[in-house]
Every structure is written in C-alpha cells, then in structure tokens.
C-alpha cells in the first residue's frame, strides 16, 4: 500500500470539538482499510485569506497532518467525504515517496566528479 499524508485545515474550535473531528477522520480512514502511522498538530494560525464554506466565513484555522498507508482507490472517496464535513475547511492528500530516487543526489555526482578529476 502506498504512503500518503493528509493535510487538513479545520475551523477554529475548542479542544473537544477538534478532537471529535480528528477522531471522525481517523475512523473514516480505518473503515476504508487505511493504516494510520501518525497524527500531528501543526498549530492554529490565521488563514492567508478568509475561507467561506458551509455558509460560514473563517479567518482562523487549525492545521493537522495525518500520515497513513492506504489503497489508491480510497483517496478520491476520502476527499469527497472530507469536503462534505462542515468542520474541515481544506483537505489535501499528498502521496509520499518511501525511497529517494537513485542517481539524482547532487552529493553523489560531486564525489564521482572528484574521483574522475584525480
């Protein structure tokens, strides 16, 4: 299963409401067969611009990151589900590379050039 990272901006809420949204999201991932590796709170900040969603206008939000493994089939359904959640302002899923591409590291290229110059 590929590794993904879900970045979410939630409405500014009290701690119990925020915990409920995160619990709902993680349970949704579990129901769809995902394996959650970590959940990280990235803090609450002022949004770069006001976001209007579900008949409310938000200027502050909580940023969260969830690292998980899942089948590629569930990603679009997960995003649709999160778009309908009234407490989630912006969901974004990013696929993470588990390995670095070989031969593209600038440090290795420099070492090879140094050996050739000697």
């Amino acid at each position: 299963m590929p590794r993904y990272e879900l970045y979410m901006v939630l409405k500014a809420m009290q701690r119990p409401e925020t915990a409920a949204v995160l619990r709902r999201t993680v349970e949704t991932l579990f129901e769809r067969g995902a394996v959650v590796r970590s959940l990280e709170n990235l803090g609450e900040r002022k949004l770069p611009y006001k976001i209007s969603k579900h008949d409310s206008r938000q200027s502050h939000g909580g940023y969260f990151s969830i690292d998980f493994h899942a089948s590629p089939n569930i990603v679009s359904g997960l995003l649709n589900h999160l778009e309908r959640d009234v407490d989630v302002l912006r969901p974004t899923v990013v696929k993470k590379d588990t390995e670095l591409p070989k031969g593209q590291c600038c440090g290795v290229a420099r070492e090879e050039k140094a050996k050739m110059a000697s």
Side-chain angles (χ1 to χ4, degrees), residues 9-12 45-61 63 88-90:
V9 180
L10 304 180
K11 292 188 332 187
R45 303 183 200 130
K46 184 176 181 193
L47 298 173
Y49 52 89
K50 291 185 180 179
I51 298 176
S52 297
K53 191 161 185 188
H54 300 290
D55 298 329
S56 67
R57 195 166 169 92
Q58 304 294 322
S59 61
H60 285 78
Y63 289 73
V88 178
L89 298 177
R90 288 284 186 272

Side-chain angles (χ1 to χ4, degrees), residues 23-105:
R23 189 176 307 113
R24 277 195 318 255
T25 303
V26 170
E27 286 174 356
T28 300
L29 285 166
F30 287 152
E31 289 169 2
R32 295 167 189 255
V35 177
V36 176
R37 294 174 49 105
S38 67
L39 172 94
E40 187 176 355
N41 181 353
L42 303 174
E44 187 172 318
R45 303 183 200 130
K46 184 176 181 193
L47 298 173
Y49 52 89
K50 291 185 180 179
I51 298 176
S52 297
K53 191 161 185 188
H54 300 290
D55 298 329
S56 67
R57 195 166 169 92
Q58 304 294 322
S59 61
H60 285 78
Y63 289 73
F64 293 89
S65 167
I66 300 175
D67 189 2
F68 66 97
H69 288 275
S71 169
N73 308 356
I74 73 159
V75 174
S76 62
L78 174 66
L79 284 173
N80 287 336
H81 174 77
L82 292 173
E83 287 289 340
R84 287 185 267 124
D85 192 329
V86 295
D87 296 322
V88 178
L89 298 177
R90 288 284 186 272
T92 304
V93 175
V94 177
K95 185 174 181 181
K96 292 185 76 171
D97 290 331
T98 54
E99 295 181 17
L100 293 173
K102 295 185 180 187
Q104 293 186 0
C105 180

